[in-house]
Amino acid sequence: MTRAETTQDEMTRAERPAGPLLLGVRHHGPGSARAVRAALDAARPQAVLVEGPPEADALLPLAADERMRPPVALLAHAVDDPGQAAFWPLASFSPEWIAIRWALEHGVPVRFIDLPAANSLAMTQGNGEGHEDGGAEEDEGADGEEGAEGPAARAPIDPIGVLARTAGYDDPERWWEDVVEHRTRDGEVVDPRAPFAALAEAMTALREVYGDGGHPRDAVREAHMRIQLRKAVKEFGDDIAVVCGAWHVPALGTRTTLTADRALLKGLPKVKAELTWVPWSHRRLARHSGYGAGIDSPGWYGHLFDAPDRPIERWMTKVAGLMRDEDRFVSSAHVIEAVRLAETLAAMRGRPLAGLGETTDAIRAVMCEGSDVPLALVQDRLIVGEALGEVPDTAPAVPLQRDLTRQQRTLRLKPEAQERELELDLRKDNDAARSRLLHRLRILAVGWGEPAAGRASTGTFRESWRLRWEPELYVQVAEAGTWGTTVLSAATAKAGAQAASATALAEVTALAEQCLLAELPDALPVVMRALADRAALDSDVGRLADALPALARTLRYGDVRSTDTAALAGVAAGLAERICVGLPPACTGLDADGAAELRGRVDAVHTAIGLLTGAAPANPGPATDTSTETGTDADTETGTDADTETGTDADTETGTGAGAGMDADTSKNANANADTDTSTNANADTDTDADADTGTGTGTNADTGGLRGRWTAVLHKLAARDTVAGVVRGRATRLLLDEGRLAEDDAARLMGLALSPGTPPADAAEWIEGFVGGAAGGGMLLVHDERLLGLVDAWLTGVPADRFADVLPLLRRTFSAYEAGVRRTLGELVRRGPSAGGPAATGTGAGAAAPAPGFGPALDEARADAVEPVLRLLLGLHNDPGPDGDARSGRAGRAANVEEPLGATG
C-alpha cells in the first residue's frame, strides 16, 4: 500500500480531491485504455462516470449487446434540423469504451457527465459553425489532437506537443508512444493509478501557464461535469471513477461552488435532440476533419491493444499475410528480417520498443524492396484499416433508417466501408429492385452509391455502381427522414418539391429521368406538368439542347423497366423540333468558348435524336413510315443512288438477354448535298422507312424519320454556312459523314474549302478540331483515309510561319487527344508521303483521283461477305438457310433482308 499512499499524496499535492478517482486519458489511446482497465480492476469503484452527452445514458446498456461491435459512435442530431449533428466515436481501444464495458460487465452504474448534446448542438448552431466533433471528439484539441472549437483569441495549444517538446522530442506521436503506448509491463509491479497521477500533474502545470488553452467553451463543459460529479458523490460516496480527457482533470479537481458552476450554465441555448448508436469506421477515425477523430493509425493502435504479447512479430505476420493475398512473394525469412531490422532501428533511435515508424521503415526495406507502392497498400488496409462497426437492431433509429436497413437485408446489399463495384442486370428482379433503391437514395441525397462506367454494353439493361458506406450517411438519412418514413414515400415527396421549385428546364428533365430510374409513379405526373410548363416557356436553344439528352435517355427505359414513357415522347419531339428551328441562327457570332460549348451541345442533340428514333411520335405528313418491334431494324429510302449501311443502330433488350439488331439503310440521292425522298418534306431525309426497332413488345409505332431528316438538314446547313463557327462546321461535317448522309467526296470538298488559302489559319484549325478532334475515331478517320490526311498535311505545311504559332495550341489540343498508337501511325504516314502508282481509279466521276496506296477505291464486297457470318454469330443472329441449303450471307442475304415484309418472323 506504500505506492498507493505515495500516489495519493501526489494527487493531493496536485490539489485533487482524495475521493473520486480521476482517470485522465487520451482519447483512442490503447495505452490509456489498458491503464483504465487496470485502474478499474484495482479500485473497484461503486460508479463510473464517463465524458459524453448525458442524454445517451439510456443507450449505454446496448454496449453490452453481443451484436454491438466497435468502432461505433453516438450520433446526436437536432430534431428540427437533422443536418445539425455531432458524433462521439468509440473504438475497441478507446478508454471510454473500456470503462463503459467494464461497468456493464461488473454491474456498476455508468453515466455520461459532459455538456448535454441539446446545449452543444444549439451553441454550435448559434455560432454558425459546422459542428464537427462533439464530446469526446471535441476534447481532442485538449488531449493532443485537433479540436472542433471555433476561433479563439489565440490558437489552441496541443498539450501533448508541448510535453513532447519539453522532453526533447520533435514528434508528439513518437513521445506519446515511448512514454505511454510502449511502456514496459515487465519487471516491478507498478500502482495502476500512478500513470494517471503523473499525467494529471503535467496537465496541471500546463493549465497554470496556458489557462483554457484556447478553448473557451471548455469552462462551460467542465462546470457541468463538476455538477454531475457532486450529484454522484452524494449518491455513491467518494468511491467513484471518472474517465475524461486528461486536459479536464485539473478543472474537475478544482474546488468551486455549486452557485458559480450554475452561473456558467445559465442562459445556454438549447434544442431538442435525439441520440442513437451508429456504426463507425477506422477510416473515419483517421480523419482530422469532419467527423474524424484525428488519429493517424487506428489499425496500428487496435493491434497494439489486442496483441497479448510480441506485438512487432504479430504485426509483421499480418503484413506478410496481406502481401501474399495480393500475390506478392513474402516468405517467413522476410518476416524474421523485418522484425530484426525494426528492433535494430528502435535501438539506434533510442526507443524502448519499435514503433510504427520503425516497423514501416523495415517493411519498406525488406518486404517492399524499397518501393512505396506496396507500402501504400499496408497503409490503407492495416495501418488505417477497413473495420466497420455494427449496432444491434434494438438501437433507436428514425423510421426512414429502419426502412432502409430492412431493404438492405432483403436485397442483400450490406453496407461496407470498403469501396466496391456492383454490376446490375435489370432483367433480374432483385437487381432491378437494387437499382430502384440506389436511385431513390440519390434523389434523397444519400450518397451511398454513385453510377460508374461499367463494361461496354449498348443495352440499357445493365448498370454499374460504385458503393461505399460512410458513417455520416446516417446523418443524411436522418435529414431525408423529414420527407417521409419510407424510402419510397420520402423520394416521392422530395421529387415533387424539387419539380415545383426548379427554375431551369434542364433541372426538370434530369429530375424526370431520375423519377423513371427510381420508379416513382406518384411523383412523375407532378414532374411532367412542371416539365411541360418549363418547356413551353423556355425559348433559349442552349437550354433546350441541354434538356433533350436526358429526355431521350429516359425514353429508352420503357423497354427494360416496363415503364410507360408515352407522356415524355410528345415533349421530347417538341423540344427536338424547336432545336432544329433555332440552332442554325444560334451558331453564328460566337467566340471560341461559346463555339466549343455549342459544339458539345450539337453532339448531345445528335445522340439524343438518334435515341428518339422510333420513340417519339412522327410529324404528321404524307410520309408512310411504320415501325414494328420484332427484333430488327430496316430503314429503306428510295432514290437514284444506293448507299447501304449495316449494324449501326442495334440495341436489343429481351427477357432472356439476347441482344441483336441491324439497320439496313438504303438511300439514293441525286445530289451530294441533299437527300431527296418520296415524301413531300423538302430538305428532309423523310423516307418510306420500313423500320423495325428492337424491343420487348410486338406493337407498332410511328417512326421519326421526319425528325431524323430535319436534323440531317440542320447539319447540312451548319456544315455549309461560312458564318457558323469553324469548330461547329467541322463537327457537323463529321457527323454527316459518320451517319452516311454525306459522301466522302463531298466531305473532302468541304475540307478543301475550309482549308483553302483564303481561310484564316485560326479558322481552319478550328474546323479541323471540330472534324477530327475530341470524338471517338477522329484519328482513325485520318489513318484510313489518306486523302483527308493529305489535305490536312498540305494545309499545315502551307501555314505562314508568322501565323503558325497562333494555330499551334488548337492543333496540339486536337491531336494530343489521340491514342499513342494512332499518333504514331499518323506520323509514319506523313513521313512516308504519297506513294507513286497504285490501283487505277474506279471512281464514278471522270476526274476521280487514284486511291491512296493500300486502300481500295470502294468497299470490297467479297471480303465483307466473308466477315458477315462471324458478325451474325457474335450478335446471336441465325444464319437462315438459303435455297441451296447454305446460310444466307453477303449481298444475297442483305438483299433478302431488305425484301422481307415488315414484321416477318421467318
Side-chain angles (χ1 to χ4, degrees), residues 230-444:
R230 291 188 184 97
K231 292 180 180 179
V233 169
K234 288 182 180 179
E235 183 176 356
F236 301 103
D238 289 339
D239 194 6
I240 297 173
V242 180
V243 180
C244 63
W247 180 256
H248 301 301
V249 169
L252 296 186
T254 301
R255 297 185 181 276
T256 61
T257 64
L258 180 60
T259 303
D261 288 338
R262 286 178 175 173
L264 289 173
L265 300 175
K266 186 177 180 180
L268 289 181
K270 188 176 183 179
V271 297
K272 186 178 181 181
E274 291 182 352
L275 284 83
T276 186
W277 288 106
V278 296
W280 205 248
S281 68
H282 276 181
R283 220 172 275 280
R284 279 301 179 196
L285 285 171
R287 298 191 180 180
H288 285 264
S289 61
Y291 296 122
I295 56 174
D296 296 325
S297 50
W300 167 255
Y301 277 8
H303 170 78
L304 290 180
F305 182 75
D306 295 333
D309 58 3
R310 308 179 71 178
I312 305 305
E313 290 83 349
R314 296 178 184 274
W315 179 255
M316 294 299 183
T317 304
K318 281 185 179 181
V319 174
L322 174 63
M323 294 291 187
R324 291 166 185 161
D325 291 342
E326 297 297 325
D327 296 329
R328 293 187 63 87
F329 177 73
V330 177
S331 66
S332 300
H334 287 87
V335 175
I336 295 172
E337 290 303 320
V339 171
R340 289 176 177 172
L341 179 57
E343 293 175 344
T344 301
L345 289 173
M348 294 175 60
R349 296 171 182 175
R351 307 195 66 181
L353 183 69
L356 181 59
E358 287 71 32
T359 56
T360 301
D361 290 343
I363 292 169
R364 179 189 292 108
V366 178
M367 299 185 187
C368 301
E369 299 176 349
S371 174
D372 286 334
V373 175
L375 190 64
L377 185 67
V378 178
Q379 170 72 26
D380 185 63
R381 300 279 186 86
L382 293 181
I383 297 178
V384 174
E386 299 172 342
L388 179 66
E390 296 181 9
V391 299
D393 296 337
T394 53
V398 296
L400 181 62
Q401 180 64 60
R402 292 194 180 280
D403 181 64
L404 175 58
T405 302
R406 179 187 60 80
Q407 294 193 50
Q408 287 172 335
R409 291 178 178 173
T410 302
L411 301 177
R412 298 186 296 278
L413 270 178
K414 183 180 180 181
E416 297 178 357
Q418 184 179 4
E419 185 177 284
R420 66 186 180 102
E421 298 283 344
L422 179 65
E423 294 284 343
L424 299 179
D425 185 343
L426 302 183
R427 297 167 297 183
K428 300 177 180 178
D429 292 340
N430 191 66
D431 283 2
R434 288 177 170 181
S435 174
R436 288 193 295 270
L437 174 62
L438 293 172
H439 281 294
R440 289 170 183 174
L441 291 177
R442 291 196 73 206
I443 292 177
L444 293 172

Side-chain angles (χ1 to χ4, degrees), residues 49 86 126 216 281 313 336 402 412 513 517 590 646 664 670 697 724 738 747 793 838 843 900:
L49 306 181
S281 68
E313 290 83 349
I336 295 172
R402 292 194 180 280
R412 298 186 296 278
E513 180 181 15
L517 290 170
L590 299 175
T646 63
V724 174
D738 289 346
D793 183 47
E900 287 179 357

Side-chain angles (χ1 to χ4, degrees), residues 539-617:
S539 60
D540 184 86
V541 175
R543 289 196 292 268
L544 296 177
D546 291 337
L548 184 61
L551 284 179
R553 290 193 302 268
T554 302
L555 289 173
R556 303 180 68 193
Y557 303 141
D559 293 336
V560 168
R561 299 176 183 271
S562 301
T563 304
D564 183 12
T565 58
L568 291 175
V571 177
L575 286 181
E577 296 284 358
R578 294 168 63 186
I579 291 172
C580 289
V581 172
L583 186 61
C587 292
T588 61
L590 299 175
D591 58 11
D593 293 338
E597 183 178 359
L598 196 58
R599 173 251 180 101
R601 286 171 172 165
V602 169
D603 280 339
V605 171
H606 181 78
T607 303
I609 289 180
L611 295 178
L612 287 175
T613 302

